[in-house]
Amino acid sequence: MKPDCRIVVTGIGAVSAYGWGVDSLRDGLMSGSTAIGVPTVFDTSEHRTHLAGEVPPVPQPLRSSIRGWDALSRADQFAVAAADEAIRESGLEIRGAPCGVFFGGSTAGMLECEEWYSRLIGARPGRPRLRLLASQQLNGPGDAVARHQRVTGPVQSVSSACASAGLAVGAAVEAIRNRSVDIALAGGSDSLCQLTYGGFNSLRSVDAEPCRPFKLDRAGLSLGEGAGVLVLESLDHAHNRRARPLAEVLGYGASCDAHHMTAPHPQGDGILRASEIALADAGLRPDEVTFINSHGTGTTHNDPAECRAYQRLFDSHLAMIPVTATKASIGHVLGAAGALEAVATVLAFRDSVIHPSPGEQPGDAELGIDLVVGSARRLEGRPVALSTNLAFGGANVAIVMQSWAGSGS
Amino acid sequence: MIGQPRMVVTGLGVVDANAWGASEAADSFAHPDPRPIAVDRSSGYHRKNGSSQALLVDTTPQSNWLSPLAARRMSAVSRFAVCAAKMAIKDAGLDPGAIGSETAVVVSTAYGAANISEQILRQSFLDGPTALSPALFTESVASAPAAQIALNCGARGANVTVTQSQAGPAVALVQSLNELRTGRSERVLIAAADEMTPLMHAILDRFLALARPDDHGAERARPFDRDRTGWLAAEGATVAVLELESTARDRGAPILAEVMAAGNAFDPWSPRSGWSRNPGTLARSLSRFLRENDRTPADIDILVSGACGHRGADRLDGGLLTTIWQGAVLPPVLAPAAVSGAHGGSLLAGSILAASGKDFGPTPGFENADPELGVVPHDGRKLPSPDCVLLTTCAAGGAAGWALFGQGDRCN
């Protein structure tokens, strides 16, 4: 049954390896060059690889504009800044409004926790001060956004590895549909930390070069950091306040492979099921999808499994669907990936172009997808996008969104 | 809510310091005798003269539910969660081989696999990052317990891990009810799971969160007591099988309790690592929740509180209740954390067992009412047969959650 409550995106915010703000993300993605480089947030010299998509230093005016900035963890800072931007764009006044926060993340204040722990065990000099642990819990970024925006409605933090932010968007959609809230700040935030950097390297899942999802010479992922936030509201609410929607969220779906802790089901069973549920929720057929913002990590296991799912879902129509892989540009932002990829999708709608994957090399022909490389691709009409995320432990999520421009709705 | 399909609990699994199974958990609440044991302080993480005890799980019965081969790949919290899930599935009379794609898993955890995360950091900082074990890393994610439940029980529906501190179980209920209400899942394995490691214990103690030893060296939670000093650190997992009432009826399943509604809210004026002194914001949200679900305080037969013995937490929990009840006599107030310690599983199990009509003994540790709070927890008298049980829980940092449970018999 198609829900009777339509949900629109009226604001977006982003912090990524390209910089602070949506404009930096848009310009970076459209440039076709990767933001993945040598990180400075910690020393990688003893690690197996030495690259990541690190967020550049915060501009001083932004830092000064957010109260209590220095007390926030790095992941909290990303979250608060991205939420601020998204709300500003939406034109909303959150305080006192029936608003909720739905936020995904996988490590929260782990970077600061590492500093504390290394001092505790004497691996680094200095006192292990408790303030370093103040945002250690995984609900830190979502709570920080709620506190900063004076939200009194529901706050839900999701930590389902790389599916976290996508699942948070799903929870936000459900909360609006069932009238728990009129407005939802949905997103995710994660910062680089040694636990994930060392962990993915121990799995030998990290490419020594910037990652190249879906390309023939792909050799693993690149880690990244950042935050993405969407302001979601019911269409009625947006209309009543004369807001201009950027996109519509048509549906979402979730599933679990129940197959392996780190490897996806080789035939893409789980992500296929999540995508089918999302399309059914949206009331659309697969052949109505006009582009895919893929999970696209660049690992040996992920890319073939994901493409197998697309082949099964779209059959011959797959050849006509451009596929983009945002992680090639900004790295894998883990728990925030779904949020930043959703922001990138909204940007594609807004500007009627799909950003390219960095590098001229075409996609691996065996995968059977039309990877956008080299230069941006025009989007015609009122495109529909499928955005997917697959996670450790087999959790999958898919979101279906549609451009708003020109709809006459 | 009126007009919504009814959702019920048909199976319960509990692993904690007192119990391996729902009936043992019920016994532990009926005859409370919490026996915290010494925490390993050999790493030197703890402060001097701080807390030294916790309610830790005796893992001896684990092999009844989990093979050593499967267990060796899991963190403690994943093992607790998987064992409790298998118990719940059995309790619900479900065929373990037929769980499938219609079953979602929703897990609440505050700390996830804390021990594994610490091992990784220790290896990284002392032996270098190339010494890290890949097997450890895969279990370090907060969603590992949810993933392990799915893997070991074949649950291929949505798999969601909620991390909202003490409010987590209520938020997980919100997520679970949405899964069922929208028809996305036929059933949900809802869980609350956490492990208590020496490092986590030391951190909580450094934040002055834990009960301090009394003159006799005993550490007790003492919710709502005038002289409470903190909570009892604890670990364990509770898993419940949630289904639509119609589905449960169709298969003739026993119904333990109804979950009528769940909600959550936030107090943005709360300190980041503590509890607000003013319950007003959350009280307005809880009032609205009751109103939207056509309930008044007079309809509540039993309260299940997240009160844990922490001075600030109980002040807010108590203030929330007295604000809502506006001077009227409170119904019996249960504080499961006094029995099985402060972990989400304790709250979830306590709520479901209270709604299913189980007896609860006197609140351990409670001696003198705190005049500032005006809340006296349950004294062990016979509880009323509950038509409506209200769970409330307030987390450090501002989050809070609540849920309404009804007695299972009513559904039969």
Side-chain angles (χ1 to χ4, degrees), chain B residues 43-92:
Chain B
S43 299
Y45 298 153
H46 287 77
R47 63 196 180 101
K48 286 178 188 167
N49 305 319
S51 170
S52 62
Q53 297 177 1
L55 285 164
L56 303 178
V57 172
D58 171 6
T59 57
T60 311
Q62 180 180 285
S63 57
N64 296 334
W65 298 96
L66 198 58
S67 73
L69 185 68
R72 76 191 170 99
R73 294 180 183 275
M74 293 183 201
S75 63
V77 63
S78 287
R79 293 197 296 267
F80 301 156
V82 171
C83 290
K86 289 185 172 184
M87 289 174 196
I89 289 167
K90 185 179 179 190
D91 192 40

Side-chain angles (χ1 to χ4, degrees), chain B residues 308-335:
Chain B
C308 56
H310 184 277
R311 291 212 74 81
D314 287 12
R315 186 191 302 116
L316 181 58
D317 274 296
L320 183 64
L321 300 181
T322 52
T323 304
I324 295 287
W325 261 260
Q326 295 182 322
V329 176
L330 294 173
V333 179
L334 308 181

